[in-house]
Amino acid sequence: MSKRREWTSETLAAGVRDGDRRALARAITLVENGDPMAYEVVREVYPDTGSAYVVGVTGPPGVGKSSLIAALVRQVRETGKTLGVISVDPSSPFSKGALLGDRIRLAEHFLDPGVFIRSMGTRGHLGGLAEATLQALLVLDAAGKDIVFVETVGTGQSEVEVLGIADTVLLVLMPGSGDSIQALKAGIMEIPDVIAVNKKDHPAAKTMLNEVRSILSLDRERAWKPPIVLTEAVEGDGVAELLAKVEAHRAHLDSEGLLEERRRKNLAGEVFAVASARAKAHLERAVEHDPELQRVLDEVQRRELDPLTAVQEIMDKVFKLGDGNRTNTR
């Protein structure tokens, strides 16, 4: 059995391509930790990516996302396809790792060789989360997984950014939940391609379905009208129909020639998201260790210098933009 210290970037990349579970686990751990070897591995296997279909699953906490994913995985496995599941969790304030409680719902699939499940902590860094999630997804893609589910913890800004890597976005709501109503009010309905109203036996399930349908009807310019499916994840009720709607969305993207366009846009967005996060971190470090830049911030605080001029001075010094590339701050 290979020990961790025996892995090299070459053997790890080869193991990922072969779908070796130990190689996958090690590669994603390196990705989470920002280890330089992770970049080497992802760079090596990147030409082998692009085959996995990515389904982003989001929704307010407690609506049954993990249970629904478990039911969908069961349904997909009956067709013989292989899957990866990346569950993005809030980080523990103590260990900085993922809080694994919700993954208990996926326990039945842990020993299935055709399913690879990994929880990833946000570690308090939005940019790091987007970067690590993208790389973990690429690793599972290179390993030959047919479908990868990316589950996020909620419907906040970080989750929305992570969903930028999905081919199909599935929003899960639950009747009788105040969080669900807030999601509707927050404009989250612009994001999903398919909607599941989970716990269909709830007395308010039909009411919620009608509410969601009425909100969606306001967007008449959208070519694809997100279907709404009533489900009961624990019992598996409505799951086959839900999977069929996800597949219908994929067929729509294929038939309209939109899948490659969406992926191109998503990847470009991820490149800029990661670049922005790194640039921000670089700026923060530069300002922290530069007395002159600290002086600029002090002048802003004393109302002696306006914020946009301060931005220009900091950008000019840190990134050496020069007068020829000055941004018009007016």
Side-chain angles (χ1 to χ4, degrees):
M1 180 181 291
S2 296
K3 297 179 181 178
R4 287 186 175 184
R5 63 176 178 271
E6 295 176 347
W7 289 113
T8 66
S9 59
E10 292 79 11
T11 59
L12 198 52
V16 166
R17 289 194 192 95
D18 291 339
D20 181 279
R21 294 176 72 84
R22 288 176 296 125
L24 284 173
R26 182 58 179 155
I28 294 178
T29 295
L30 293 175
V31 161
E32 280 195 282
N33 294 336
D35 192 290
M37 188 190 290
Y39 301 118
E40 297 174 21
V41 172
V42 173
R43 183 171 61 242
E44 181 72 21
V45 302
Y46 187 70
D48 302 297
T49 64
S51 298
Y53 195 80
V54 184
V55 180
V57 183
T58 190
V63 297
K65 295 187 294 293
S66 295
S67 297
L68 197 55
I69 290 175
L72 286 166
V73 168
R74 195 180 312 120
Q75 193 79 30
V76 172
R77 287 296 289 144
E78 290 178 1
T79 69
K81 292 181 179 178
T82 59
L83 301 101
V85 179
I86 301 172
S87 295
V88 181
D89 277 316
S91 292
S92 161
F94 305 106
S95 68
K96 302 301 181 186
L99 300 175
L100 303 178
D102 286 347
R103 303 294 82 77
I104 293 172
R105 281 76 168 179
L106 290 160
E108 66 178 281
H109 301 295
F110 283 153
L111 299 180
D112 184 343
V115 181
F116 187 90
I117 300 168
R118 184 61 175 261
S119 286
M120 299 179 63
T122 62
R123 299 171 188 264
H125 299 290
L126 171 57
L129 170 63
E131 183 173 338
T133 306
L134 173 63
Q135 289 196 82
L137 169 61
L138 292 173
V139 166
L140 291 174
D141 190 351
K145 299 304 180 188
D146 297 306
I147 299 174
V148 178
F149 287 104
V150 179
E151 177 193 359
T152 69
V153 293
T155 52
Q157 182 62 31
S158 62
E159 291 76 33
V160 169
E161 293 208 7
V162 169
L163 290 172
I165 59 180
D167 298 318
T168 296
V169 176
L170 168 61
L171 172 65
V172 184
L173 300 172
M174 183 180 74
S177 166
D179 286 334
S180 295
I181 299 302
Q182 288 305 314
L184 299 180
K185 291 180 179 178
I188 203 72
M189 301 308 296
E190 299 171 6
I191 297 172
D193 302 299
V194 180
I195 299 168
V197 176
N198 197 29
K199 305 187 180 177
K200 62 182 291 185
D201 294 334
H202 191 285
K206 292 285 180 66
T207 301
M208 181 163 216
L209 184 147
N210 291 330
E211 288 176 349
V212 173
R213 186 171 287 157
S214 65
I215 291 173
L216 291 175
S217 67
L218 298 176
D219 185 1
R220 298 178 181 176
E221 297 181 1
R222 197 166 175 174
W224 169 263
K225 304 299 182 185
I228 312 164
V229 182
L230 290 172
T231 62
E232 176 49 63
V234 176
E235 301 296 329
D237 197 5
V239 174
E241 182 186 354
L242 180 61
L243 182 60
K245 297 301 183 185
V246 170
E247 292 172 343
H249 180 249
R250 179 176 187 171
H252 165 75
L253 293 178
D254 280 330
S255 65
E256 298 295 322
L258 298 174
L259 182 57
E260 288 308 312
E261 179 184 328
R262 176 178 276 215
R263 288 180 171 179
R264 178 182 176 86
K265 181 179 178 182
N266 287 351
L267 284 170
E270 286 306 303
V271 168
F272 284 116
V274 173
S276 297
R278 291 193 178 191
K280 179 175 181 288
H282 178 65
L283 273 171
E284 289 173 344
R285 288 193 299 269
V287 172
E288 182 181 357
H289 298 105
D290 190 318
E292 184 179 339
L293 296 182
Q294 284 289 342
R295 174 190 56 76
V296 170
L297 293 180
D298 291 341
E299 289 180 2
V300 173
Q301 178 65 31
R302 295 195 299 268
R303 298 296 195 274
E304 296 171 1
L305 185 69
D306 69 278
L308 293 185
T309 301
V311 167
Q312 190 65 63
E313 288 192 23
I314 292 173
M315 295 287 284
D316 283 351
K317 178 163 187 183
V318 175
F319 293 113
K320 298 178 173 56
L321 297 178
D323 292 338
N325 293 309
R326 292 183 66 86
T327 302
N328 184 1
T329 58
R330 294 188 179 183

